[in-house]
Amino acid sequence: MFAIFSKLKWKKEGAYTVERKDRTEHRRIEDASVPSELVYPLTMHIGAPASPVVNVGDTVKIGTLIAEKNGAISANTYSSVSGEVIEIGSRPTVHGEAPCIIIKNDFQDQRDAPLYANDEELDPQKKLEIIAKAGIVGMGGATFPTRVKLSPPKDKPIDTIIINGAECEPYATADHRLMVEYAEQLIEGIRVLQEIIPVEKVYIAIESNAHESVAVMNKAIADSEHIEIKELETIYPQGSEKNLIKKITKREVSPGQLPADVQTIVINVATTYAVYEAVRLGKPLTKRITTVSGQPLKEPKNLWVRIGTPIESLIEDCGGFQSMPGKMIHGGPMMGRPLNSGRVPVGKGTTTVTFLAEEEAEIDQRSPCIKCSECLNVCPVSLQPIMISNAYEKGNLKKAEKLGALDCIECGACSYICPSKIPILENIQKAKKAIRSSKEGA
Amino acid sequence: MSEVTALTDAQLTMSNAPHLRQVRTSAWIMQQVILALMLPTIGALYFFGWRVLVMIVVAIGSCVLSEYLFQKLTKRQITIKDYSAVVTGLLLALSLPVSAPIWTIILGSGFAIIFIKQLFGGIGRNWFNPAVGARIMLSVFFGEYVSGWVEPGEAVDATSQATPLGVVANDRADAVSTATYVDAEMPNLVDMFLGTGVGGNIGETSKLLIILALVYLIARQIIDPFIPFLFILPVAVITLVTSGFDLEFMMQHLLSGALIFAATFMITDYSSSPFTPHGKIAFAIGAGILTVLFRYYSDYSGGVGFAILIMNACVPLLDKYLPPRIYGHKKRPI
Ligand code: SF4
Ligand code: SF4
């Protein structure tokens, strides 16, 4: 159905990027090996860093609170192994060197008490508190505290929940495998969300290339009439929050607004699973599924990873390298961050670790813009990316702002598509920074 | 550890996202345009003989050389490797009659590259389509040399003679009353479509070959399919309505002159057409309407070129006032 459109050149509000999911999409999720030392950054979420509540020498178990949230936009952090706190100090993380708690694993895997007592009555408010307590944040990479998302202002009644299974980054298959292997649990997670926010309709958004998850989820929802699967075109960035809301509800989130302002909440599938584990099983967030993939790896895999596991340990689980990697990326190749240390640990938002071969990591030299309009055609928020980039390069921040620089969702589709290899997004990011700092200065 | 390759040995690049780029390059896109232009080129060689080859070589050579020399002299980055000068040369040669003297080709090429392309800032910045601009310049100032349209097979010094468009244009006064009238000189539609036995500029005669090129460029996602269509549509509608729904009259208009050639290669030129989707639509429709007006109300039979130049001049305005509405905003960012 989408094939014909993808063959024509016109404005599509997205790019048909490479997919490269074939090496991991049919592999069952395996348990990653658990290292002897785990690293828990205090900054695994957006907002204020968590504050440590343990001291060096303390013994911890799986599910022991080690750092507490600091205000509303922050999140609790739990140990994912049993053992001993051996250090609290600076370590390399996704966001550069940052304070971390380091725990030595005793390999006993003892569990701490669950999040709530077995006989406790759970009302919606209590369930929300459990979600906050469990340290759950957006696990699709945004890492925004889920509890905040689930408590919209009273005057904005939510009528739609969208479960985001549109995994649009190349290589990423963690959400896909989660839907294929844990469909029942996901449906249960959706029920929890509905108990907290009673809505008419819950949509599960899945990209059309994930046939298997569409089929499995369809079966799983057979007798839940409140839930509907929305099969969406495979186009990048289909899974972006603003884009999903527009595609499914036909509503647009204006600048300065939150999805709740258009009566919608978008929750990632992995987050939904974490909600299920917290509210139904009393387990805090201590593990996640991460896709570890890319051409240089011998055996790319989807792994159940204990949060805090250094990436170098995952590389070993994937059989090491078959060729020299030229780039290591936390996240997918479109929006991920480059890493230069294998000691960086998997955090709550680590959907994917992507490795590119040396030749894939090279980017052709920039040439002049030929005005092909492709950057405009693929921009999901209908900006004119090269115009903003040009305005920035000419030092005209006013124009960059008028052209909507601040509306850019930084998806990178424009830079990806540009045949002249102009670093459009990089310029827009710089423009945004300059505009924001000039505003603060004023 | 028995790893063949350890992470610590790797030279990890730390550049920013996105970490992948599509395989297409600007030079590749220009190569595809050149490839598409090979179809009318082959037609030109077939219909008009070896001189076509000389014309093309001279045109491409002078375009590339002008670009190189200009950029060398003004100490700019040399961009001849992007193939756009080759495209301009090829387009210019194909839009001239086989009788065009060599000096007109050299003059036109230099004018196209230096005055229309480079002085405006080079690729992506030029307002006017270089080949169209040069062609118009030649027909305005050196009309006698470049409008002797020649039938295939005739010698270079052949007398000029009516082309299909000339016939259509001369009949315009009584266009409606000639609804059923077919001039004896008017080639039949099949010949016009195939390019057999009709005169004209060397690359524009066979519509069949040009349409094949158009299909190729659309299939390769190099041009937007709606733009050629929206350009031709007003021509079809206006000629159909004003002739009292005479399909043959309409077809004669569609198949004559540079219309189809321009729809494929000129209207879709990146640099000289708008950047925004709505700007593109206005551009194509505007050029289509102007083409008919020129054909109806002027004696100059190459109305397509003028129509495109006028619309080229409107591009900055179209882009300024027809940008797409940004997601979540009420108004366009004007
Ligand atoms: S990075 Fe920004 S400007 Fe570029 S396509 Fe994405 S949203 Fe549009
Ligand atoms: S910036 Fe790149 S994608 Fe955008 S119009 Fe120019 S060449 Fe095309």
Side-chain angles (χ1 to χ4, degrees):
Chain A
M1 165 183 171
F2 303 115
I4 176 99
F5 296 113
S6 64
K7 296 258 151 51
L8 297 178
K9 170 174 172 154
W10 64 341
K11 192 164 182 334
K12 305 179 181 105
E13 299 179 359
Y16 298 102
T17 61
V18 290
E19 293 177 26
R20 302 191 183 162
K21 296 181 188 275
D22 49 314
R23 285 184 81 191
T24 52
E25 67 187 339
H26 301 298
R27 290 186 74 120
R28 285 195 73 83
I29 308 167
E30 295 172 27
D31 285 333
S33 47
V34 187
S36 55
E37 217 178 275
L38 291 94
V39 178
Y40 303 86
L42 300 174
T43 49
M44 284 193 280
H45 48 265
I46 274 188
S51 324
V53 292
V54 286
N55 292 311
V56 174
D58 286 2
T59 52
V60 293
K61 296 177 182 167
I62 299 178
T64 304
L65 183 70
I66 53 173
E68 201 171 37
K69 70 192 178 91
N70 229 329
I73 315 289
S74 185
N76 287 345
T77 301
Y78 291 84
S79 174
S80 55
V81 291
S82 58
E84 184 191 337
V85 178
I86 54 168
E87 195 189 329
I88 297 177
S90 196
R91 286 291 164 98
T93 74
V94 188
H95 307 281
E97 292 275 329
C100 299
I101 297 173
I102 294 108
I103 291 176
K104 192 168 157 41
N105 188 1
D106 65 8
F107 295 97
Q108 299 303 311
D109 275 356
Q110 287 172 348
R111 286 205 155 267
D112 211 329
L115 289 169
Y116 57 90
N118 250 341
D119 50 359
E120 236 176 298
E121 270 298 315
L122 301 183
D123 59 7
Q125 191 53 39
K126 181 76 195 158
K127 284 174 189 158
L128 258 182
E129 273 157 31
I130 292 170
I131 289 171
K133 198 172 161 197
I136 299 175
V137 297
M139 291 169 73
T143 65
F144 184 79
T146 303
R147 139 94 211 220
V148 182
K149 233 184 197 179
L150 292 176
S151 13
K154 287 274 169 308
D155 57 327
K156 304 259 166 63
I158 299 298
D159 64 7
T160 311
I161 294 179
I162 299 171
I163 305 298
N164 188 356
E167 201 173 24
C168 54
E169 276 269 9
Y171 298 97
T173 53
D175 290 348
H176 165 67
R177 287 313 305 180
L178 178 69
M179 290 187 278
V180 171
E181 294 178 39
Y182 296 88
E184 295 302 325
Q185 290 88 333
L186 276 176
I187 301 300
E188 203 49 40
I190 292 172
R191 289 213 184 98
V192 174
L193 295 174
Q194 280 177 302
E195 287 157 15
I196 297 170
I197 300 175
V199 290
E200 286 285 292
K201 209 75 196 176
V202 175
Y203 295 101
I204 305 175
I206 306 177
E207 280 196 308
S208 59
N209 60 346
H211 309 289
E212 207 183 340
S213 42
V214 173
V216 174
M217 290 307 287
N218 257 321
K219 227 192 231 157
I221 61 160
D223 41 35
S224 338
E225 55 196 79
H226 291 294
I227 308 177
E228 189 182 314
I229 309 272
K230 282 271 180 187
E231 197 176 333
L232 302 173
E233 183 189 7
T234 305
I235 189 169
Y236 180 86
Q238 187 69 278
S240 90
E241 192 169 73
K242 284 185 168 184
N243 176 69
L244 275 185
I245 293 174
K246 183 177 170 185
K247 292 266 166 73
I248 292 179
T249 67
K250 310 263 181 309
R251 300 171 196 158
E252 289 184 12
V253 186
S254 294
Q257 281 190 331
L258 293 171
D261 290 311
V262 293
Q263 295 160 287
T264 309
I265 285 178
V266 183
I267 302 270
N268 170 270
V269 281
T271 316
T272 311
Y273 183 87
V275 165
Y276 156 79
E277 287 222 320
V279 178
R280 292 289 195 255
L281 310 179
K283 289 187 185 168
L285 179 56
T286 60
K287 57 175 187 172
R288 66 157 301 135
I289 305 169
T290 298
T291 304
V292 187
S293 189
Q295 195 257 312
L297 284 173
K298 265 201 198 118
E299 245 189 303
K301 283 178 180 167
N302 286 302
L303 295 168
W304 267 121
V305 186
R306 307 271 182 108
I307 287 169
T309 305
I311 286 170
E312 53 197 5
S313 161
L314 306 184
I315 299 171
E316 270 177 62
D317 285 341
C318 293
F321 296 112
Q322 57 186 6
S323 66
M324 193 62 103
K327 206 169 207 178
M328 171 163 66
I329 305 160
H330 179 271
M334 296 300 290
M335 288 183 83
R337 281 167 178 270
L339 297 178
N340 58 7
S341 164
R343 290 163 61 213
V344 170
V346 167
K348 294 176 181 177
T350 311
T351 54
T352 316
V353 180
T354 313
F355 292 88
L356 298 181
E358 275 174 334
E359 61 280 8
E360 292 172 312
E362 267 167 39
I363 287 167
D364 287 347
Q365 222 201 330
R366 170 177 181 168
S367 61
C369 165
I370 57 168
K371 218 184 158 194
C372 68
S373 300
E374 284 293 22
C375 52
L376 185 153
N377 285 347
V378 301
C379 180
V381 290
S382 296
L383 299 174
Q384 305 172 69
I386 187 63
M387 299 300 213
I388 304 176
S389 162
N390 284 344
Y392 172 76
E393 288 188 337
K394 287 201 194 102
N396 192 344
L397 285 183
K398 260 219 169 86
K399 186 166 178 204
E401 187 178 357
K402 197 165 108 189
L403 288 170
L406 296 178
D407 290 282
C408 169
I409 61 166
E410 308 194 8
C411 68
C414 50
S415 293
Y416 173 83
I417 211 77
C418 178
S420 293
K421 318 297 167 199
I422 299 172
I424 309 175
L425 170 59
E426 211 176 308
N427 282 335
I428 297 180
Q429 282 168 331
K430 287 183 196 156
K432 282 172 89 168
K433 238 195 199 147
I435 293 168
R436 290 211 173 109
S437 67
S438 76
K439 276 194 175 154
E440 275 158 24
Chain B
M1 268 183 284
S2 61
E3 278 168 38
V4 201
T5 325
L7 193 59
T8 40
D9 298 334
Q11 291 284 326
L12 295 174
T13 320
M14 290 295 285
S15 56
N16 284 335
H19 308 285
L20 289 175
R21 300 295 149 98
Q22 73 152 339
V23 287
R24 286 183 173 196
T25 61
S26 297
W28 181 87
I29 290 176
M30 290 299 155
Q31 285 166 11
Q32 299 308 304
V33 176
I34 294 169
L35 217 60
L37 277 165
M38 284 301 121
L39 282 160
T41 304
I42 290 166
L45 279 167
Y46 173 77
F47 294 123
F48 297 97
W50 61 272
R51 192 171 189 278
V52 165
L53 204 62
V54 178
M55 292 169 71
I56 288 173
V57 169
V58 169
I60 295 178
S62 5
C63 279
V64 173
L65 198 67
S66 314
E67 181 148 296
Y68 178 79
L69 288 178
F70 181 86
Q71 290 174 331
K72 192 90 192 168
L73 289 175
T74 54
K75 301 209 165 53
R76 297 184 198 190
Q77 193 192 348
I78 308 284
T79 58
I80 52 173
K81 281 208 207 106
D82 67 15
Y83 291 95
S84 67
V86 178
V87 172
T88 300
L90 204 48
L91 279 174
L92 179 63
L94 291 177
S95 61
L96 288 169
V98 72
S99 57
I102 294 298
W103 63 265
T104 59
I105 302 177
I106 299 175
L107 185 71
S109 304
F111 180 80
I113 294 295
I114 293 170
F115 285 91
I116 306 186
K117 187 178 173 192
Q118 291 302 337
L119 287 183
F120 276 92
I123 189 166
R125 300 247 171 90
N126 47 300
W127 284 19
F128 299 102
N129 184 318
V132 177
R135 180 67 179 86
I136 299 262
M137 184 278 289
L138 288 177
S139 42
V140 169
F141 296 106
F142 308 96
E144 55 199 295
Y145 300 104
V146 295
S147 53
W149 291 12
V150 175
E151 269 207 20
E154 288 185 57
V156 173
D157 58 351
T159 48
S160 23
Q161 74 162 62
T163 64
L165 190 53
V167 178
V168 175
N170 291 338
D171 287 342
R172 70 176 192 278
D174 43 17
V176 178
S177 64
T178 55
T180 54
Y181 166 78
V182 179
D183 191 282
E185 272 185 80
M186 188 75 207
N188 71 43
L189 291 176
V190 176
D191 276 343
M192 287 171 78
F193 183 68
L194 295 177
T196 44
V198 286
N201 298 323
I202 57 173
E204 296 167 0
T205 46
S206 172
K207 313 304 169 196
L208 173 67
L209 292 175
I210 300 170
I211 289 172
L212 286 177
L214 177 67
V215 169
Y216 178 76
L217 290 176
I218 291 174
R220 278 285 188 193
Q221 297 174 44
I222 288 173
I223 62 178
D224 183 328
F226 305 105
I227 301 311
F229 174 75
L230 288 174
F231 169 57
I232 293 173
L233 188 70
V235 180
V237 170
I238 297 173
T239 51
L240 194 62
V241 171
T242 54
S243 65
F245 295 92
D246 178 355
L247 273 179
E248 189 163 355
F249 180 77
M250 180 193 86
M251 286 312 290
Q252 280 167 356
H253 260 286
L254 295 190
L255 295 181
S256 59
L259 188 78
I260 305 277
F261 188 78
T264 306
F265 296 110
M266 310 293 201
I267 254 319
T268 54
D269 172 51
Y270 293 154
S271 280
S272 60
S273 67
F275 180 59
T276 68
H278 289 166
K280 283 194 169 89
I281 292 172
F283 176 78
I285 295 179
I289 293 173
L290 285 179
T291 298
V292 190
L293 292 183
F294 274 116
R295 282 189 174 181
Y296 275 20
Y297 298 108
S298 86
D299 285 329
Y300 180 72
S301 51
V304 175
F306 271 115
I308 293 179
L309 274 198
I310 292 175
M311 290 313 292
N312 282 166
C314 301
V315 166
L317 282 178
L318 293 175
D319 274 343
K320 185 158 195 278
Y321 290 106
L322 292 173
R325 182 185 61 82
I326 301 171
Y327 177 106
H329 288 248
K330 298 251 148 33
K331 281 191 261 151
R332 296 171 192 264
I334 296 171

